[in-house]
Amino acid sequence: MNRVTAAPVLPLPPASGGRREGDPPGRRSWVELGEPLGLESGATLPGVRLAYETWGRRAPDGSNAVLVLHALTGDSHAAGPAGPGHPSAGWWDALVGPGRALDTDRWFVVAPNVLGGCQGSTGPSSRRPDGTHWGGAFPYLTIRDQVAAEAQLAEALGIGRWAAVIGGSMGGMRALEWAVSRPERTGSLLVLAAPSASSAEQIAWGSTQIAAIRSDPGWRGGGYHDAPPGSGPHQGLGLARRIAHVTYRSEPELAARFGRRAQPGELPSLGGRYQVESYLDHHAAKLVRRFDAGSYVVLTEAMNAHDVGRGRGGAARALRRADMPALIAGIDSDRLYPPAQQAETAALLPSSDGLRIIESPYGHDGFLIETDQVGSLVRELLPPPVPAPPNR
């Protein structure tokens, strides 16, 4: 007789999926900024600390350091296995390590958790100097504020100039801001699937996700971090993730993977789900257990505000500052940050030779998935040293 095994019942998710004090540190280290961080808004943020991870050995002069910057729901764990403190394997594990594109026998790779994040760096789920959670009182951040914090991290690590700054999506925004605001500290640049300024449509997508979170009764004005399990803004965060994930993948991929098929054992006509709905539900359920809704809001607001030309005479003038070797790449199936945006950036950078295209059926997520193609770009940006001629 066939038996149907019931799916395990998971415990209720905590109010915030962000890292909590006392959780295993994993591979993380921390830097605490000595002074309150001045923000672009005019506010200041006290007690800032950044979590980061490193791979390889730093050269005595720091000249072999490479900065790798993560996307919206990423973190400092760019490489390495899952384990205590790291629920998932590194998001660019195929690129970082001995003999890989970011060869840790040669390069000292640094990946910080972004300011405003929830995996060790100061963000809405962190505690203020008075011991209470920041919550909804956390200040408005911009990409420039995040890069200002990362610059202080570099100083703490003794790195005056990065050999390269590399990032995709939100990480690409920060990489581009590094190149524009601190060209003397950016030796070379790789930007993947990120614009020089967020467009109206991209702001609309982000604002819709923010509204989904803030409309959840569990949001409580951002003051939910001490709520019991199951009482956080999980519905809103899950809905935001569903909306975002549709923009991260391509329509042809979704059609090929799911079509109009119903989830096995379910009938949409009787309240069941289509397979694509189950797929989105899965990603929403995963995110609420590993991410903080407040961080999602703060980081999405920063992405919406992204504009390297703001206060600098426009993008064309601003990008002229970034006169270092630069590769700008778009993904041919990306409907969130279409390649035309990256083509505009590439055309304005003094040392770019034009847009590179990553071919992928996976849409925006191709910068995470197509590691062979991304690795080729990294090797082009950071070619291996030429062997010395043999002694004669």
Side-chain angles (χ1 to χ4, degrees), residues 13-322:
S16 168
R19 185 181 183 277
R20 295 173 294 277
E21 291 297 326
D23 286 351
R27 297 189 74 260
R28 295 176 184 84
S29 297
W30 281 268
V31 159
E32 296 193 12
L33 307 191
E35 299 292 334
L37 181 68
L39 305 178
E40 192 179 358
S41 66
T44 58
L45 182 59
V48 172
R49 69 173 187 165
L50 293 182
Y52 67 97
E53 295 179 46
T54 67
W55 299 263
R57 296 183 63 182
R58 176 186 172 279
D61 61 357
S63 61
N64 68 333
V66 175
L67 181 63
V68 173
L69 302 173
H70 67 76
L72 173 60
T73 62
D75 56 27
S76 63
H77 197 52
H86 301 297
S88 302
W91 48 271
W92 255 3
D93 190 62
L95 294 179
V96 180
R100 296 176 183 174
L102 285 167
D103 187 349
T104 51
D105 289 335
R106 179 185 179 199
W107 301 110
F108 178 59
V109 179
V110 181
N113 182 217
V114 69
L115 179 67
C118 61
Q119 291 299 326
S121 291
T122 297
S125 61
S126 303
R127 293 190 183 273
R128 291 185 275 198
D130 67 4
T132 61
H133 290 285
W134 274 103
F138 194 81
Y140 180 87
L141 292 182
T142 66
I143 297 293
R144 296 182 190 182
D145 297 327
Q146 295 164 341
V147 169
E150 290 164 2
Q152 293 197 41
L153 168 65
E155 291 165 7
L157 295 176
I159 299 165
R161 183 173 183 266
W162 299 103
V165 179
I166 298 172
S169 193
M170 185 184 78
M173 296 177 184
R174 286 150 59 208
L176 200 57
E177 178 60 31
W178 261 99
V180 168
S181 64
R182 293 163 176 81
E184 74 286 354
R185 302 183 67 177
T186 307
S188 60
L189 175 70
L190 175 57
V191 174
L192 304 163
S196 57
S198 294
S199 69
E201 183 179 39
Q202 289 149 5
I203 293 169
W205 282 120
S207 298
T208 302
Q209 294 164 50
I210 291 170
I213 292 170
R214 287 180 168 158
S215 66
D216 188 323
W219 172 246
R220 298 178 178 86
Y224 57 86
H225 291 92
D226 291 320
S231 298
H234 304 123
Q235 294 298 319
L237 179 57
L239 179 56
R241 182 61 163 181
R242 290 175 177 88
I243 294 167
H245 208 76
V246 173
T247 72
Y248 296 160
R249 312 301 283 224
S250 74
E251 190 280 333
E253 187 220 358
L254 294 178
R257 287 181 67 181
F258 305 114
R260 293 185 45 79
R261 294 183 293 277
Q263 181 70 359
E266 300 186 28
L267 292 175
S269 60
L270 297 177
R273 298 170 299 171
Y274 292 97
Q275 286 185 10
V276 71
E277 291 179 281
S278 174
Y279 169 73
L280 296 176
D281 288 346
H282 168 73
H283 283 281
K286 283 178 60 178
L287 189 73
V288 301
R289 293 181 179 275
R290 70 169 183 86
F291 212 76
D292 178 61
S295 281
Y296 198 102
V297 168
V298 165
L299 299 183
T300 302
E301 287 178 333
M303 294 171 71
N304 282 352
H306 169 61
D307 179 1
V308 296
R310 183 177 60 251
R312 296 168 174 159
R317 179 176 293 180
L319 290 169
R320 283 200 294 270
R321 303 181 184 188

Side-chain angles (χ1 to χ4, degrees), residues 187-191 322 324-328 349-354 356 381:
S188 60
L189 175 70
L190 175 57
V191 174
M324 73 283 296
L327 296 179
I328 309 297
L349 283 169
S351 299
S352 170
D353 61 358
R356 306 304 176 87
L381 188 73

